[in-house]
Amino acid sequence: MQFEIVTDSSSNLTDAMIEEFGIHILPLRFMSDGEEFQSFTEGEKSDLQRFYDMMRDGKVFTTSLPYPDKSEAKFRSILDSGRDVLYLGFSSGLSGTFEAMANILEALKPEYPDRKIAYVDTLAAAMGEGLLVYKAAQKAREGASIEETAQWVTDNRLNLGHWFTVEDLMYLFRGGRVSRTSAWAGSLLNIKPVLHVDDEGHLIPMDKVRGRKKSIMTMVDHMEKTGLAPMEDQTVFISHADCEEDLMILVEEIRKRFGCKDIRWNYLDPVIGAHTGPGCLALFFMASER
């Protein structure tokens, strides 16, 4: 292919996926006690279990967009090499990342009139964004042009099943997703919300169920209702915030119910995890609707 795919670290792609397709990652940032970290560093493996242990110990993190200057430098390096750029970004309904990167790319267009520059808001987060990026990279490898690949993401982004559940409602309260009263009452009653990302890219509460296992099964129920057939041929992505036991319950239920063979998972990156807390579990698949 004559173009490079760029995405951001909120896509949660594994190192193996990034290396397989040569995908470029723009790292978002997170901060605590005056110290700043990148959520992805090329060539380095992050200890994300330690990040979630710190959250459990009471450490509070804030988050920020990728550095504009470093992002621009990455785009320029690709364009200067004679390659075109397709940027697939973190939902504009959840972050200002996409708008910031799109503005940089628009400013670069007059400087590179012979290069093609395209960008698409995935309206997705975590490995939901990652699933669209992964499939786009497959399309590109099969010979799709930059225009065809960008159009495929645009045409299919609302056919992404995009389901989350969390362990502790207080993190959603801090992020303004639920009220303090709902968070305290939910914690006392062991209520676990099931949320999804809607067609505008916003995180929306959908179900309230009692107990962790029930919340996991509710996500699989949504997959059963909307997942595109043949289900056993689906590529399924899962993000988890350091909850591997619950992750395996979800994986085994999907295998049992649908016969899916290609199920992949990775840690939820710190920039999203800072707002959902340890124990967040997120399921992504191609669907008839979000």
Side-chain angles (χ1 to χ4, degrees):
M1 65 182 184
Q2 298 301 310
F3 65 96
E4 303 286 324
I5 293 177
V6 182
T7 189
D8 35 69
S9 54
S10 61
S11 61
N12 292 184
L13 293 171
T14 66
D15 291 340
M17 294 174 190
I18 294 166
E19 292 170 8
E20 178 184 0
F21 292 102
I23 297 167
H24 302 272
I25 305 295
L26 304 177
L28 280 77
R29 295 171 285 154
F30 59 103
M31 293 77 69
S32 182
D33 297 333
E35 188 173 6
E36 182 174 281
F37 309 88
Q38 289 192 155
S39 55
F40 175 84
T41 303
E42 188 173 354
E44 294 185 12
K45 186 173 178 61
S46 300
D47 184 1
L48 295 185
Q49 183 176 15
R50 179 174 176 271
F51 166 77
Y52 288 109
D53 284 342
M54 292 168 69
M55 289 194 75
R56 290 185 180 101
D57 290 339
K59 185 78 75 174
V60 176
F61 292 90
T62 57
T63 62
S64 187
L65 310 185
Y67 285 112
D69 55 344
K70 291 183 179 179
S71 301
E72 181 178 337
K74 171 60 72 175
F75 292 135
R76 284 186 180 277
S77 69
I78 297 169
L79 296 166
D80 288 340
S81 73
R83 309 280 285 176
D84 300 331
V85 170
L86 172 59
Y87 168 63
L88 304 175
F90 186 12
S91 172
S92 60
L94 295 170
S95 170
T97 301
F98 175 77
E99 182 179 5
M101 297 304 105
N103 288 339
I104 291 171
L105 289 169
E106 277 298 317
L108 289 174
K109 283 183 177 181
E111 295 185 44
Y112 296 90
D114 297 328
R115 299 268 59 83
K116 295 176 180 177
I117 298 174
Y119 46 86
V120 180
D121 182 353
T122 66
L123 299 173
M127 286 191 89
E129 177 187 355
L131 183 55
L132 291 173
V133 173
Y134 179 77
K135 286 183 173 290
Q138 289 180 317
K139 297 287 182 186
R141 175 170 287 180
E142 292 165 2
S145 67
I146 186 171
E147 295 90 350
E148 291 168 335
T149 305
Q151 191 62 51
W152 184 91
V153 176
T154 301
D155 291 344
N156 287 274
R157 61 188 175 179
L158 299 186
N159 295 109
L160 176 71
H162 205 296
W163 294 93
F164 288 78
T165 190
V166 298
E167 180 65 29
D168 187 343
L169 282 160
M170 293 309 296
Y171 292 100
L172 292 179
F173 159 67
R174 291 175 190 167
R177 300 295 176 184
V178 299
S179 68
R180 180 186 293 273
T181 301
S182 295
W184 278 110
S187 298
L188 289 171
L189 297 172
N190 196 27
I191 298 297
K192 306 300 181 185
V194 176
L195 311 95
H196 87 141
V197 172
D198 67 10
D199 288 355
E200 296 179 348
H202 300 114
L203 189 62
I204 304 295
M206 294 294 288
D207 303 293
K208 293 180 181 179
V209 299
R210 183 164 291 182
R212 177 68 161 179
K213 188 170 183 180
K214 179 63 175 176
S215 70
I216 294 171
M217 295 303 151
T218 298
M219 291 198 296
V220 184
D221 290 343
H222 283 292
M223 184 176 179
E224 187 166 18
K225 292 174 184 175
T226 64
L228 294 178
M231 295 288 282
E232 63 269 20
D233 294 337
Q234 283 253 13
T235 296
V236 179
F237 279 12
I238 302 171
S239 296
H240 74 96
D242 195 34
C243 52
E244 294 190 2
E245 184 175 331
D246 292 334
L247 163 68
M248 296 316 300
I249 291 173
L250 177 58
V251 169
E252 291 306 315
E253 182 65 18
I254 293 169
R255 285 174 177 161
K256 181 177 72 174
R257 210 182 292 192
F258 311 120
C260 297
K261 302 176 185 66
D262 189 7
I263 306 175
R264 311 185 190 199
W265 54 84
N266 198 15
Y267 268 88
L268 185 65
D269 75 283
V271 168
I272 298 176
H275 300 286
T276 61
C280 180
L281 196 57
L283 170 63
F284 310 101
F285 53 92
M286 301 310 295
S288 58
E289 60 183 9
R290 284 205 167 185

